[in-house]
């Protein structure tokens, strides 16, 4: 298994990097009026995922629990490619939440660049917010959890 783990991690890092490019393009293509809503959706999904037993498996069916990684990023990426703007925004939020938790404390060096890129994009999304009250209320609710 020690020989196989680096190969699996390399494949996962490539997959996340490819999907991240698509997600990043979708986020940057959002109209300005949709960005505060995107920010709320992403932060809410991250919070909901953090309250689950295995946050990196958020959006994964219970019977698929023993796969090398969850199916949340795949589902989120597919939804993000939708022509329906609401479905696309929810897919982006799901992808961001699952990828965040999957790469957050990863012991694998190949996943750390994905985490840094993801944090940069999340920071950009969060800074777009127009009202500081929304940020404050999110921060208070996440601290309570």
């Amino acid at each position: 298994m020690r020989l196989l783990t680096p190969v699996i991690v390399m494949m996962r890092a490539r997959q996340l990097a490819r999907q991240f490019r698509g997600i990043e393009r979708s986020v940057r293509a959002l109209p300005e009026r949709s960005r505060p809503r995107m920010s709320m959706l992403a932060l809410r999904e991250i919070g909901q995922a953090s309250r689950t037993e295995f946050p990196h498996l958020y959006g994964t069916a219970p019977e698929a629990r023993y796969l090398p990684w969850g199916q949340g990023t795949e589902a989120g990426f597919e939804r993000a490619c939708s022509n329906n703007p609401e479905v696309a925004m929810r897919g982006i939020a799901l992808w961001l939440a699952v990828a965040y938790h999957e790469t957050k404390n990863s012991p694998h060096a190949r996943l750390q660049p994905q985490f840094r890129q993801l944090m940069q994009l999340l920071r950009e999304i969060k800074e777009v917010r127009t009202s500081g009250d929304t940020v404050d209320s999110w921060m208070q609710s996440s601290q309570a959890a």
Side-chain angles (χ1 to χ4, degrees), residues 63-74:
E63 59 272 4
R65 186 180 212 168
Y66 299 104
L67 294 173
W69 53 78
Q71 298 168 331
T73 53
E74 283 297 319

Side-chain angles (χ1 to χ4, degrees), residues 14 16 21 31 36 44 47 50 61 64 66-67 80 99 108 132 139-140:
R14 283 182 151 175
L16 287 176
R21 288 189 296 272
R44 190 178 76 205
S50 68
Y66 299 104
L67 294 173
H108 306 291
M139 292 299 285
Q140 290 171 355

Side-chain angles (χ1 to χ4, degrees), residues 9 12-13 16 102-103 106 108-115:
V9 170
R12 184 60 175 164
L16 287 176
E102 188 174 325
T103 60
S106 176
H108 306 291
R110 288 193 177 263
L111 293 177
Q112 292 170 358
Q114 278 77 15
F115 181 71

Side-chain angles (χ1 to χ4, degrees), residues 42 45-47 49 55 58 92-102 118:
E45 287 288 332
I46 290 171
Y58 184 69
I92 292 168
L94 175 62
W95 191 93
L96 290 170
V98 175
Y100 170 80
H101 286 292
E102 188 174 325
L118 183 64

Side-chain angles (χ1 to χ4, degrees), residues 2-86:
R2 284 187 174 174
L3 296 175
L4 199 55
T5 301
V7 174
I8 292 172
V9 170
M10 182 183 68
M11 289 173 35
R12 184 60 175 164
R14 283 182 151 175
Q15 182 182 30
L16 287 176
R18 180 185 54 80
Q19 289 177 347
F20 178 79
R21 288 189 296 272
I23 294 292
E24 185 178 32
R25 270 192 306 272
S26 297
V27 167
R28 296 195 194 290
L30 286 174
E32 286 296 319
R33 68 181 188 282
S34 298
R35 289 184 179 223
R37 177 148 165 69
M38 178 72 248
S39 176
M40 281 297 290
L41 284 172
L43 294 176
R44 190 178 76 205
E45 287 288 332
I46 290 171
Q48 286 177 346
S50 68
R51 288 188 278 285
T52 63
E53 186 177 358
F54 300 105
H56 66 284
L57 296 178
Y58 184 69
T60 301
E63 59 272 4
R65 186 180 212 168
Y66 299 104
L67 294 173
W69 53 78
Q71 298 168 331
T73 53
E74 283 297 319
F77 188 72
E78 287 176 19
R79 292 177 193 163
C81 296
S82 173
N83 291 331
N84 182 327
E86 182 66 25

